[in-house]
Amino acid sequence: MYDEIQDAFGQIHATDEMKQSVLEYLSGKKRRNWKALGSFRPYALISACALMLICFGIGNWYFFGMPVAYVSVDVNPSVELTLNRRNRVMEAEGRNKDGQMVLEHVQLEGKDYLEAVELLMESEAMQSYLAENEKPTVTVASAKADELLSGLENSIVATHYHGMCRSAEIETVASAHDCGMSLGRYQIYQLLAGYSSGLTTEDCQKISICQLQQLLVQYENGRTAAVDEKELESLKSGCAHHSGGHHHSGHSHHGE
């Protein structure tokens, strides 16, 4: 832990002057004129301690409180996890109505990302959306995406639910949010746009994840035709999601 904090401390360039001030104080340079106990200056000590606390406080925030990774879980509920440098969940947010409803029944903040994803998938609220022929999409945006994906590919997401794990550029997170989409849904939109599918971000918001996945597979397998109006309407009603609520019948699901 000491080495980790020291590493974080060393990367805070904005506080170099403060750190030098503390070091000088501790080395005695600021005490060279102290001749006797009567000349003791408590304010200098207080200032040095305050500076030290500020530096360690910033270092602590840098290590534990700064978001550095995002994990998007899309089934059809879209839930996005924000992680710190310890791979712990700082924030869990529903990126659509279904995602918000799921998070009302499960607490993920403060947990390791793998534990959080497994709790989410195994929660009763999420289970009601899962069907035998459906596969979750988990998308990771991080400088250490390979490490995070390796963990996910060995978790129940892949081994039990046969989910699709992908990585995305960290810069796409803001773009996804600007479009009102989760990172995972937005990445599928980007991939479909690359195949000239003709779908807009608004279209992709109204199509279920399972339908988007199936459409992407078609393009990856050689499809070249763009989506026409008739097919678009079919996609929107296909794996049937209707805004404003959801219901379940057997292994089918509805809801956005």
Side-chain angles (χ1 to χ4, degrees):
M1 175 61 73
Y2 175 79
D3 292 337
E4 293 170 340
I5 294 177
Q6 186 179 51
D7 178 63
F9 189 94
Q11 297 184 51
I12 307 172
H13 302 296
T15 59
D16 286 344
E17 185 176 344
M18 290 190 294
K19 291 186 288 184
Q20 183 61 35
S21 177
V22 174
L23 291 173
E24 289 177 357
Y25 173 80
L26 295 176
S27 66
K29 289 183 179 180
K30 289 191 175 182
R31 292 179 293 159
R32 60 181 178 272
N33 293 324
W34 291 10
K35 302 299 183 181
L37 182 62
S39 63
F40 177 68
R41 294 178 295 176
Y43 294 109
L45 178 60
I46 293 172
S47 297
C49 291
L51 288 173
M52 183 69 78
L53 288 173
I54 290 171
C55 290
F56 276 104
I58 295 174
N60 188 60
W61 174 86
Y62 175 84
F63 199 76
F64 296 105
M66 186 170 71
V68 298
Y70 299 86
V71 177
S72 175
V73 181
D74 298 273
V75 176
N76 184 63
S78 291
V79 174
E80 204 165 83
L81 309 177
T82 302
L83 310 182
N84 64 14
R85 292 181 181 276
R86 297 287 289 174
N87 296 337
R88 292 194 171 274
V89 179
M90 296 172 53
E91 181 180 12
E93 185 172 359
R95 285 292 168 183
N96 60 5
K97 291 181 180 178
D98 288 349
Q100 293 165 10
M101 292 175 64
V102 167
L103 288 180
E104 291 177 359
H105 304 281
V106 60
Q107 177 63 39
L108 304 178
E109 284 83 356
K111 300 187 182 301
D112 175 79
Y113 83 106
L114 286 178
E115 181 185 2
V117 171
E118 292 187 359
L119 283 172
L120 179 64
M121 297 300 298
E122 295 286 89
S123 67
E124 183 177 351
M126 182 65 87
Q127 285 290 309
S128 64
Y129 290 91
L130 292 168
E132 292 179 357
N133 63 338
E134 292 174 352
K135 299 179 178 64
T137 295
V138 181
T139 310
V140 174
S142 171
K144 54 180 181 179
D146 290 344
E147 173 191 332
L148 299 177
L149 285 173
S150 177
L152 288 165
E153 289 166 353
N154 288 290
S155 73
I156 62 170
V157 169
T159 60
H160 182 72
Y161 295 104
H162 307 291
M164 181 181 299
C165 300
R166 299 176 179 271
S167 64
E169 296 296 327
I170 194 77
E171 293 79 10
T172 64
V173 176
S175 298
H177 295 173
D178 287 343
C179 294
M181 303 167 75
S182 68
L183 173 64
R185 185 181 291 270
Y186 183 76
Q187 190 194 45
I188 295 178
Y189 155 73
Q190 285 186 309
L191 293 170
L192 290 170
Y195 286 108
S196 301
S197 66
L199 295 177
T200 65
T201 55
E202 290 79 9
D203 293 332
C204 288
Q205 286 177 301
K206 299 175 182 177
I207 301 172
S208 71
I209 286 293
C210 63
Q211 291 289 81
L212 290 174
Q213 287 176 335
Q214 292 170 14
L215 184 61
L216 180 58
V217 169
Q218 291 178 25
Y219 281 106
E220 290 175 339
N221 289 335
R223 171 174 171 166
T224 58
V227 176
D228 59 26
E229 288 297 323
K230 182 178 180 180
E231 184 180 12
L232 179 59
E233 290 305 313
S234 176
L235 287 169
K236 290 179 180 179
S237 60
C239 210
H241 291 74
H242 305 282
S243 60
H246 68 272
H247 65 275
H248 305 278
S249 176
H251 289 297
S252 65
H253 66 270
H254 303 261
E256 182 71 29

